[in-house]
Amino acid sequence: MAGKSVKKRPGCDMRGMLSFQILWLLSNRPMYGQELAREIERRRGEKPNPGTIYPAIKELSEGGLIMGRTEGRSTVYRLTGKGSSTLKASLAYFERAYADIFYSIPSVQRRMKEGRA
Amino acid sequence: MAGKSVKKRPGCDMRGMLSFQILWLLSNRPMYGQELAREIERRRGEKPNPGTIYPAIKELSEGGLIMGRTEGRSTVYRLTGKGSSTLKASLAYFERAYADIFYSIPSVQRRMKEGRA
DNA sequence: AAGAATCTATCGGACGGCCAATATATTTAT
DNA sequence: ATAAATATATTGGCCGTCCGATAGATTCTT
């Protein structure tokens, strides 16, 4: 049966960052869906399911933030101009909202003090 | 009527961070609901509605991550031991998942290079 | 050619976040 | 005492995320 118990991160599940993360990844280089899923897995620890990643891609595509180009069996996506400016605004929001949380992390502070950018 | 059009951040709405942010705020000092709402407003730019903040508080409270103590007209919340360890784990996840995004922000890089912790 | 692997894609359901509206209680100001 | 301000709290509904299952198409391997 579909839609069983969703695994719950204790106390905070941090939903809502998927589209943001996809935009950011595509700002580095064009990728196709499975590549995006793998890059997200590297960061989150878990690979998003097809039912998660593809609807997100579709949404971004329909919103004109990314553009897909079919190449063989895969579809390579890249940021549009609109997607790029949206990402810029989102990054500004991200920083304003969560920078102090980041700077409170010990390993981040260490890296700061050493001036490693 | 209730539940009209939810304001949409274009392309990424970053839901799911509320409980995390509440835990982090309470790790700095105990606060009551409206104080939490104001601190979140300072960071996000918009104040979470009662229908957003109170259910989140309730959930964290029922999960044993925070503890409330009624004082006059307000209820002051503080982290529990469980909440503290949960926050620690969440911070680790947060860093792993989004650190590279954070470090890609120009103003953050500037601050890093100057070694300002 | 046949099978395995890879990629794209959709469906149904669950869940947290989020809002506007509404209600009540307590404290403060006039 | 009355009004205003402050704080807590719930209701009803929408949205994006997320999962597991399922399916079809293309490419690679044997």
Side-chain angles (χ1 to χ4, degrees), chain A residues 8-21 23-25 41-46 59-60 65 86 90-109 111-117, chain B residues 8-21 23-25 41-46 59-60 65 86 89-105 107-109 111-117:
Chain A
K8 220 168 78 167
R9 198 176 314 286
C12 53
D13 84 341
M14 298 189 194
R15 286 166 188 238
M17 306 286 287
L18 183 60
S19 300
F20 175 54
Q21 197 163 27
L23 282 188
W24 186 83
L25 287 169
E41 182 185 18
R42 271 190 47 209
R43 293 163 172 80
R44 300 192 179 185
E46 279 179 18
E59 182 80 14
L60 289 171
L65 302 181
T86 296
S90 297
L91 284 170
Y93 173 80
F94 184 60
E95 188 195 1
R96 172 173 181 188
Y98 305 114
D100 53 3
I101 294 184
F102 251 110
Y103 291 132
S104 78
I105 299 174
S107 61
V108 174
Q109 287 184 355
R111 190 165 159 173
M112 293 276 297
K113 247 175 247 170
E114 295 167 14
R116 287 185 288 129
Chain B
K8 222 169 77 166
R9 197 174 313 286
C12 53
D13 83 342
M14 298 188 194
R15 287 167 188 236
M17 306 286 288
L18 182 59
S19 300
F20 176 54
Q21 197 163 26
L23 282 189
W24 186 83
L25 287 169
E41 183 185 17
R42 270 189 48 210
R43 292 163 173 81
R44 299 191 181 185
E46 279 178 19
E59 182 80 15
L60 289 171
L65 302 181
T86 296
S90 296
L91 283 170
Y93 172 79
F94 187 56
E95 188 194 2
R96 173 174 182 187
Y98 304 115
D100 54 3
I101 294 183
F102 191 67
Y103 291 134
S104 78
I105 300 174
S107 60
V108 172
Q109 288 185 354
R111 188 166 160 173
M112 293 279 294
K113 248 176 249 170
E114 295 168 13
R116 287 186 285 127

Side-chain angles (χ1 to χ4, degrees), chain A residues 1 10 19-20 40 47 50 61 63 67 74 84 87 94 99 106 115:
Chain A
M1 77 231 34
S19 300
F20 175 54
I40 291 171
K47 189 172 182 172
S61 191
M67 246 199 58
S74 65
S84 181
L87 174 61
F94 184 60

Side-chain angles (χ1 to χ4, degrees), chain A residues 12-80:
Chain A
C12 53
D13 84 341
M14 298 189 194
R15 286 166 188 238
M17 306 286 287
L18 183 60
S19 300
F20 175 54
Q21 197 163 27
I22 292 175
L23 282 188
W24 186 83
L25 287 169
L26 291 183
S27 76
N28 295 333
R29 62 181 174 91
M31 292 187 209
Y32 54 93
Q34 284 306 306
E35 248 178 322
L36 283 168
R38 278 192 296 267
E39 288 297 323
I40 291 171
E41 182 185 18
R42 271 190 47 209
R43 293 163 172 80
R44 300 192 179 185
E46 279 179 18
K47 189 172 182 172
N49 281 24
T52 298
I53 194 82
Y54 287 113
I57 289 175
K58 189 181 180 186
E59 182 80 14
L60 289 171
S61 191
E62 285 172 358
L65 302 181
I66 66 178
M67 246 199 58
R69 215 183 100 86
T70 301
E71 292 182 8
R73 94 184 116 181
S74 65
T75 306
V76 177
Y77 292 93
R78 63 181 65 248
L79 270 192
T80 63

Side-chain angles (χ1 to χ4, degrees), chain B:
Chain B
M1 72 225 59
K4 257 197 323 217
S5 68
V6 174
K7 222 169 300 171
K8 222 169 77 166
R9 197 174 313 286
C12 53
D13 83 342
M14 298 188 194
R15 287 167 188 236
M17 306 286 288
L18 182 59
S19 300
F20 176 54
Q21 197 163 26
I22 291 174
L23 282 189
W24 186 83
L25 287 169
L26 291 182
S27 76
N28 295 332
R29 62 180 173 90
M31 292 187 210
Y32 54 92
Q34 284 305 306
E35 250 178 321
L36 283 168
R38 278 192 296 266
E39 288 297 324
I40 291 171
E41 183 185 17
R42 270 189 48 210
R43 292 163 173 81
R44 299 191 181 185
E46 279 178 19
K47 189 173 182 171
N49 281 24
T52 299
I53 193 80
Y54 288 112
I57 289 175
K58 189 181 181 185
E59 182 80 15
L60 289 171
S61 192
E62 286 172 358
L65 302 181
I66 66 177
M67 245 198 58
R69 213 183 103 85
T70 302
E71 291 181 9
R73 94 183 116 181
S74 65
T75 306
V76 177
Y77 292 93
R78 64 181 65 247
L79 269 192
T80 63
K82 187 177 175 184
S84 180
S85 56
T86 296
L87 174 61
K88 199 168 296 187
S90 296
L91 283 170
Y93 172 79
F94 187 56
E95 188 194 2
R96 173 174 182 187
Y98 304 115
D100 54 3
I101 294 183
F102 191 67
Y103 291 134
S104 78
I105 300 174
S107 60
V108 172
Q109 288 185 354
R110 238 175 290 125
R111 188 166 160 173
M112 293 279 294
K113 248 176 249 170
E114 295 168 13
R116 287 186 285 127

